């Protein structure tokens, strides 16, 4: 009998060696070209913004010199449209000779000399999404070795122009091929995004054995509606997604668009807060040469980054959806701490949301609160009511630590508040 495409996917998965590269034990951070610069290859008329070695050198310089690297933003990731339309005489991928005249290894060395890392893009179909040479099944071994020879540090492996059977074989084979090179290369898989992101079409237990991170959902666009759509999908499906995430295996809701054209400052803080409460990879896609001071301050917020990088790696949950369109999210952190996000889906005016830590299932005690974006601090008793003013399409994020140790009640107190103790 023959296996269905879906059965074949997980059968092949089961016989593949687990990914054991020791990488990305906290969510990876850096800069990625795609959302902001797409497939702009017109270097004659748009030399500052086209996909070329100059663009990636510029962004590397900004990461190294403007305080990003020290905060953890170390990956500089090339996306689609970097390669020549033809492989070389030995069958290897090669960079476009006009836009990358010194080749990819030069860029890797440039990054490494500055304490940064280089990521690159491939696709397991006949062509990439942008129409450049893909890495189909018969090219996996040679391309994995080529990336290692170029001293690349991360591969994003897309799935355009491939089918379920090819993906079933190709994604695990690329994982094995990367490991076999002997070079540590972080592996980002787009596989789940091509199958709806959810079981039974996606088995996250098995996926976590071959990939360091994976795209579950569609590409982000430079719009607030795109941010909301993506975050809504992740938290709607949190019961499936939370158990699948942990150190070295991350859900990737796609890039941070803070500093681009569409988001207000409130919306920018909201995206940062939601991505950090998820424990998502933080890959900016913006122009670091011209980014505003307001956007920079959000992206460089040390406490938000610390919450994102918490070593437990637990994905946060939405614990309340109020009729007044305020939502509350909670993420357990190391040292019995936690993070809270109060998020407004309102479109009218700032809303004064009243609650207490006790209503959010915190046990009896006094808790130290730090507002992540204002840095205001206070002590709160669990039973004391407090009011949080949340702007339309905005978020307030708190770091919560308990001087006497933090614990949670067993069971939700009301509404659809989740059992927070189940996180630990």
């Amino acid at each position: 009998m023959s296996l269905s495409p879906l059965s074949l996917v997980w059968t092949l998965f089961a016989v593949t060696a687990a990914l054991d590269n020791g990488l990305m034990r906290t969510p990876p951070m850096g800069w990625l070209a795609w959302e902001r610069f797409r497939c702009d290859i017109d270097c004659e008329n748009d030399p500052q913004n086209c996909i070329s070695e100059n663009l990636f050198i510029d962004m590397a310089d900004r990461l190294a010199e403007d305080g990003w690297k020290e905060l953890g933003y170390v990956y500089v990731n090339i996306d689609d449209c970097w390669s020549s339309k033809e492989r070389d005489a030995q069958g290897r991928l090669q960079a476009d000779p006009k836009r990358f005249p010194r080749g990819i290894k030069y860029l890797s060395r440039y990054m490494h000399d500055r304490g940064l890392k280089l990521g690159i893009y491939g696709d397991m179909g006949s062509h990439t999404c942008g129409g450049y040479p893909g890495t189909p099944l018969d090219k996996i071994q040679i391309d994995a070795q080529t990336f290692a020879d170029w001293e690349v540090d991360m591969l994003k492996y897309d799935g355009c122009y491939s089918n379920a059977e090819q993906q079933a074989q190709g994604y695990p084979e690329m994982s094995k091929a990367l490991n076999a090179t002997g070079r540590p290369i972080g592996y980002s898989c787009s596989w789940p995004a091509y199958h709806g992101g959810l079981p039974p079409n996606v088995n996250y237990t098995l996926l976590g054995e071959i990939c360091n991170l994976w795209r579950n959902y569609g590409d982000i666009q430079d719009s607030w509606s795109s941010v909301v759509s993506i975050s809504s999908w992740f938290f709607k499906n949190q019961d499936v997604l939370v158990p699948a995430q942990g150190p070295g295996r991350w859900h990737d809701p796609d890039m941070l668009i803070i500093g681009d054209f569409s988001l207000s400052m409130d919306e920018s803080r909201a995206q940062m807060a939601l991505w950090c409460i998820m424990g998502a990879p933080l890959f900016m896609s913006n122009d670091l040469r011209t980014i505003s001071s307001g956007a920079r301050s959000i992206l460089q917020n040390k406490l938000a980054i610390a919450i994102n990088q918490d070593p437990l790696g637990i994905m946060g949950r939405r614990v309340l959806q109020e009729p007044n369109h305020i939502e509350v999210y909670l993420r357990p952190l190391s040292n019995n701490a936690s993070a809270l996000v109060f998020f407004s889906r309102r479109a009218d005016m700032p809303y004064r949301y009243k609650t207490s830590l006790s209503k959010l299932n915190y046990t009896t005690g006094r808790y130290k609160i730090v507002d992540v974006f204002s840095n205001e601090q206070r002590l709160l008793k669990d039973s004391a009511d407090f009011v949080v003013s949340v702007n339309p399409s905005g978020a307030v994020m708190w770091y919560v630590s308990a001087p006497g140790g933090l614990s949670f009640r067993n069971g939700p107190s009301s509404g659809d508040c989740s059992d927070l103790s189940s996180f630990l």
Side-chain angles (χ1 to χ4, degrees):
M1 61 180 287
S2 62
L3 292 172
S4 70
L6 184 59
S7 299
L8 178 63
V9 166
W10 303 124
T11 301
L12 286 168
F13 239 153
V15 299
T16 303
L19 182 67
D20 187 23
N21 59 14
L23 299 176
M24 299 178 174
R25 305 301 292 174
T26 58
M29 299 171 59
W31 182 90
L32 200 162
W34 182 254
E35 203 295 314
R36 173 60 180 82
F37 295 96
R38 304 286 174 146
C39 192
D40 181 354
I41 59 172
D42 188 1
C43 292
E44 182 176 346
N45 295 304
D46 195 14
Q48 296 301 312
N49 299 306
C50 67
I51 301 301
S52 69
E53 68 176 35
N54 292 332
L55 178 66
F56 296 98
I57 286 171
D58 282 352
M59 297 307 160
D61 289 345
R62 299 282 55 80
L63 289 180
E65 297 172 18
D66 295 346
W68 301 98
K69 178 183 72 173
E70 292 78 8
L71 297 171
Y73 293 99
V74 296
Y75 284 92
V76 179
N77 283 13
I78 303 169
D79 209 271
D80 205 347
C81 308
W82 60 270
S83 75
S84 169
K85 289 284 189 174
E86 304 293 337
R87 289 175 175 264
D88 70 13
Q90 288 74 44
R92 297 172 300 193
L93 291 171
Q94 56 184 342
D96 183 278
K98 291 184 178 179
R99 294 182 286 117
F100 296 85
R102 290 174 284 193
I104 301 302
K105 189 169 185 177
Y106 170 82
L107 279 180
S108 292
R109 293 285 178 88
Y110 193 91
M111 304 305 159
H112 299 159
D113 288 347
R114 286 152 184 80
L116 303 172
K117 299 180 179 182
L118 184 72
I120 203 163
Y121 170 97
D123 186 288
M124 79 147 310
S126 58
H127 295 83
T128 70
C129 299
Y132 290 79
T135 300
L137 298 176
D138 64 337
K139 299 294 185 183
I140 285 176
Q141 300 298 327
I142 190 172
D143 287 357
Q145 189 58 55
T146 298
F147 297 145
D149 292 343
W150 287 344
E151 300 177 7
V152 164
D153 303 291
M154 178 178 171
L155 170 66
K156 175 186 172 182
Y157 201 28
D158 212 339
C160 284
Y161 301 105
S162 64
N163 59 38
E165 291 93 340
Q166 292 165 340
Q167 292 169 11
Q169 186 174 350
Y171 277 102
E173 281 196 9
M174 178 58 83
S175 177
K176 187 175 181 180
L178 291 173
N179 283 347
T181 69
R183 178 171 182 79
I185 298 177
Y187 185 32
S188 172
C189 304
S190 295
W191 194 1
Y194 286 88
H195 297 277
L198 295 172
N201 294 331
V202 177
N203 184 322
Y204 279 110
T205 300
L206 296 174
L207 188 66
E209 295 178 352
I210 68 163
C211 307
N212 294 116
L213 64 159
W214 45 78
R215 289 285 308 283
N216 321 58
Y217 196 68
D219 289 355
I220 198 167
Q221 308 298 323
D222 190 3
S223 72
W224 174 240
S225 63
S226 181
V227 172
V228 171
S229 174
I230 290 170
S231 62
S232 296
W233 184 88
F234 275 84
F235 290 108
K236 177 183 177 181
N237 296 296
Q238 62 187 12
D239 288 343
V240 171
L241 299 178
V242 167
Q245 178 166 295
R249 46 190 175 90
W250 308 102
H251 301 299
D252 183 3
D254 213 5
M255 295 158 278
L256 295 166
I257 58 169
I258 299 162
D260 287 328
F261 303 103
S262 67
L263 300 190
S264 68
M265 285 296 101
D266 278 304
E267 291 164 347
S268 296
R269 281 186 283 270
Q271 190 192 15
M272 188 70 171
L274 291 169
W275 264 233
C276 289
I277 212 78
M278 278 191 261
L282 299 182
F283 285 114
M284 307 176 287
S285 191
N286 48 26
D287 192 336
L288 297 175
R289 301 166 297 193
T290 59
I291 191 170
S292 70
S293 60
R296 179 184 297 184
S297 68
I298 293 168
L299 290 163
Q300 292 189 344
N301 185 291
K302 292 181 179 179
L303 186 50
I305 292 170
I307 290 168
N308 173 265
Q309 295 288 294
D310 185 80
L312 290 181
I314 300 169
M315 177 182 166
R317 285 180 179 265
R318 181 169 57 195
V319 295
L320 279 175
Q321 286 180 282
E322 298 281 21
N324 54 30
H325 303 296
I326 298 295
E327 298 178 356
V328 183
Y329 300 77
L330 185 144
R331 185 182 189 204
L333 305 173
S334 301
N335 301 315
N336 286 325
S338 62
L340 285 169
V341 168
F342 305 92
F343 172 54
S344 174
R345 290 181 181 264
R346 301 175 67 93
D348 50 0
M349 61 183 292
Y351 187 85
R352 292 173 56 80
Y353 177 66
K354 183 178 180 181
T355 189
S356 68
L357 293 178
S358 177
K359 292 174 184 176
L360 298 177
N361 270 9
Y362 286 78
T363 55
T364 302
R366 291 170 62 84
Y367 297 85
K368 180 180 179 181
I369 308 297
V370 182
D371 187 301
V372 170
F373 295 116
S374 73
N375 203 35
E376 294 178 359
Q377 301 184 25
R378 62 170 120 172
L379 288 176
L380 271 180
K381 191 175 180 181
D382 67 286
S383 58
D385 285 342
F386 60 83
V387 173
V388 178
S389 181
V390 191
N391 291 343
S393 301
V396 172
M397 188 175 200
W398 283 4
Y399 176 82
V400 183
S401 59
L406 177 63
S407 59
F408 299 106
R409 291 183 181 140
N410 292 322
S413 57
S414 62
D416 63 0
C417 185
S418 300
D419 177 3
L420 305 183
S421 64
S422 67
F423 292 155
L424 303 176

